[in-house]
Amino acid sequence: MSQNPGEFIPIGRLSSRAALGADTQPSLPPEQMFYEIINLVRRRRLFIAKVVLAGTLLTGVAAFVVPPAYTATAQFMFEPTQAQMAAGLLETVVDTHIATLTSDARLRDVLKALPDLPQYKAVSARAVSQMAHPTLGDRLRGSLVAIGKGLKNVVLPSPNPPEALQAANGLPSLDAMKNSLLVRQERRSNVISISYRDVDPERAAIIVNQVVQTHVDRLTDRMQQQADALRTGLDNRLIQSQAELEAADEALRAHVSAHGTPSADAAAGELTAEASRQLELVRSELLRRQERLEQVRKLQLSGAPPEKIDALLREPLVGTQFARAVAPITAPESQADVNSGTIAAKPTVSGADSEQRLQRLEHDVDVFRLQEHSLAERIASLQAASGADLAQRRERQTLERRATTAADVVRDLLRQQQQLKDPSSTGVQILAQASVPQRPSSLSPYLYISAAMIAFAALGGGAASVLERMDRSLRSERELATTLGIGCIGLVPEAEEGRYNGRWRLPECPSPPYDQAIEAVAAVALEVIQHRGDGKILAVTSSGPGEGKTALAVGIAAYAARFQRRVLLICADAPRQDVKLTGLSSETNLDSDVSAQRASLEIRRDSALGFDCLALDEIGDANTASLVGSQLANSLDKLRDRYDYMIIAAPGVFESAGIRILAARVDGVLFAVRWGSTRRDVAANAIELLMKPALLSGGPRPKIFAVLTRVNLKAHAGYRRGDTGEFLGKRPQRSGGSGLHVS
């Protein structure tokens, strides 16, 4: 029964090693890593060379097929207003110009204007004539462009926009024009550069000049419309302002005729000021005398002595400007006799004098009150007279200011109207128109080729590294032994020539390295099965078909036959149809019981190779599965004394379940692993299946050892493993051969 390698998940020691594989390898030092990289490049040099060659050819074809592009550049300068400069809006103005130049509406205006230009008509006519008589490069270019567009439509299908139809009329499409147009600011200046890229230098210059001219024309039209609207507004405002000026002049004339021209009345102002000053002095004196009078009355009410009251009345007023000379009123002094030593008596205070002084103080208070009232009335009359003149003067000033303001507005409107009569300026000046470029702006095709060689070399190296990382096959004896946990007795190179017998590849003219490898493997294998006794039965199997196990079994049998050993080759991996080795003759039957169950199994003699051969049907058949069990083991036991060695070319582990039973009955199992083909996990799973019956039953484990088959010696030497495969091809060839020929 055939099985899938992926159905069994390996367990135990062998599966863990296989699962880890190269991932468990320790990190390499830098110098060894460099050495491994060099070996990788050496091994994959053909692959890298193919990648570089293919990429360089494609790049070269594309570089030479794509026509060179020319870039034409024009410049214009804009003048921002003072308000824009003061507000710091220079960047905003630049962005506005750039957005306007690259807008769809502006580019559509350019496309509409191009067909009417005589220069563009001449360029279009020349392009049409070239399309009518295309060169080989043009045809190749057209084919590549068509292929590219077809692939693009397949990957990203989208309906053609209406602008794409313009290309058929000699005009670039809107999208192509936007992709070819570049608008940028020159550093931080007021200069803007417009560049257009095209395969035709004359068409590039014409288009970029038309873009600039269209932009200036649109700005001129907009400024003219703004000027017309502003002129109409100025005319209306001028009429209104002139009417306001006439009304202000008429009101001023009416005021002058009604009130006359006011004169400067300086004297009235001085009189008012003098009267105000006198009023302040009078009020000050009145306040002082009222305070003195109040003090005297308080003393009288309190019963103060007359001397104190008289002294207060005699005391002069501090700070007064209206002082009056008052003669002291005193009695004549009494004289004493000086000679008698008497002292003159104090003067006596007369009540009449004190009363007189008090009356005079009251009289002064009344006089100052009358003066205050008189001065206040005078000031009021003076202010009333000057107030009327002031109101008239203010009214006249208001009328004069109104007339002056109206006159200024009229003059300003007349000035603006005069400015609008001059030619309007757009604030944009064309600095330089684009000239026809003489040299292409695109890179040289040779630069593309050089860059492509470097880039694809790196790409090829990366791809080679990825392939190496993804390679899960086994390529050395040490790698096989480490991964599977079993011994590897050698390797067998790929036969240079051979023929297919059924599905087995048998070497017809083996090379000396092949003969030497077979001899080494056969000698070790036969020695291994005889190491612990009289081992005679060796089963050669693999994980699946095409591993080279049949040719290996034939080689081992032929090697043993060369030393006059009796050898029986059991071809259990034969197909269902009767495929017999040429030169074999019928000799005897194997077992009557087995012959009764199936067609007779005949042992035939190969006189050329010197061993007997027993060809069985495929063991994987359910009816023949029991043949690999005890019956086949009993038959092999009967033949053990008759033959020195019995080599079984068994089917693959995943092709038949019987090989698992057979592995425990034979003296050794040689597991063939195809170099660079058999995956690690597949080989590990196959080994697990071979050992699983013994592990489950507790019996002795089968003796399993491996060999690498169908090794490409040239490729194997590139890995620099330092094993047999590296030096096998360098050994001197011996004359003759081992006679491992199947006729």
Side-chain angles (χ1 to χ4, degrees), residues 391-419:
Q392 293 178 5
R393 188 179 296 107
R394 288 179 178 175
E395 183 179 0
R396 178 180 175 83
Q397 290 176 354
T398 301
L399 293 175
E400 288 177 351
R401 284 196 299 270
R402 186 182 301 171
T404 302
T405 302
D408 292 340
V409 171
V410 170
R411 283 194 298 270
D412 185 64
L413 293 175
L414 290 174
R415 180 180 57 80
Q416 294 182 15
Q417 192 178 38
Q418 184 64 30
Q419 290 178 354

Side-chain angles (χ1 to χ4, degrees), residues 481-498:
T482 303
T483 302
L484 302 183
I486 59 177
C488 181
I489 63 175
L491 55 83
V492 178
E494 180 77 60
E496 296 181 358
E497 296 181 2

Side-chain angles (χ1 to χ4, degrees), residues 38-55 456-457 460-461 463-464 467-468 712 714-715:
I38 296 300
N39 283 338
L40 171 63
V41 174
R42 184 186 297 111
R43 290 194 304 270
R44 299 283 183 170
R45 60 183 179 274
L46 293 179
F47 173 79
I48 296 174
K50 291 177 182 178
V51 173
V52 172
L53 181 60
F456 280 99
L467 291 177
E468 287 285 331
N712 187 341
K714 185 176 181 181

Side-chain angles (χ1 to χ4, degrees), residues 632-646:
L632 181 58
N634 295 332
S635 301
L636 294 176
D637 291 337
K638 294 179 180 180
L639 295 174
R640 182 181 292 270
D641 296 334
R642 183 176 177 182
Y643 292 97
D644 296 324
Y645 297 105
M646 287 181 286

Side-chain angles (χ1 to χ4, degrees), residues 196-351:
Y196 189 81
R197 184 185 178 93
D198 196 274
V199 296
D200 192 334
E202 295 184 13
R203 182 166 56 189
I206 294 172
I207 291 177
V208 74
N209 288 332
Q210 185 60 35
V211 170
V212 175
Q213 189 62 43
T214 302
H215 184 65
V216 175
D217 293 343
R218 294 298 179 270
L219 291 179
T220 303
D221 296 341
R222 188 181 65 181
M223 294 294 294
Q224 187 64 36
Q225 294 175 1
Q226 294 177 355
D228 294 341
L230 184 59
R231 189 180 297 109
T232 303
L234 286 177
D235 294 341
N236 296 332
R237 289 179 57 191
L238 182 60
I239 295 173
Q240 183 180 0
S241 299
Q242 288 176 349
E244 292 177 356
L245 178 60
E246 293 177 359
D249 291 340
E250 184 64 27
L252 182 60
R253 287 193 296 269
H255 182 272
V256 172
S257 62
H259 301 285
T261 304
S263 59
D265 193 359
E270 292 178 359
L271 291 175
T272 303
E274 181 64 24
S276 299
R277 187 179 63 79
Q278 291 179 1
L279 179 60
E280 292 295 330
L281 292 175
V282 169
R283 287 177 177 174
S284 176
E285 295 297 332
L286 177 61
L287 181 62
R288 293 187 181 92
R289 282 165 174 78
Q290 286 178 347
E291 291 178 353
R292 178 64 57 83
L293 181 60
E294 185 177 357
Q295 292 175 0
V296 170
R297 287 177 178 172
K298 286 182 179 179
L299 291 175
Q300 289 178 350
L301 292 175
S302 62
E307 293 82 0
K308 188 175 182 179
I309 296 174
D310 185 66
L312 181 60
L313 290 174
R314 285 176 178 273
E315 183 180 351
L317 296 172
V318 180
T320 181
Q321 297 182 9
F322 295 91
R324 178 184 293 177
V326 179
I329 304 176
T330 60
E333 299 179 356
S334 298
Q335 296 182 354
D337 190 357
V338 176
N339 296 326
S340 61
T342 59
I343 299 175
K346 291 182 181 180
T348 60
V349 179
S350 175

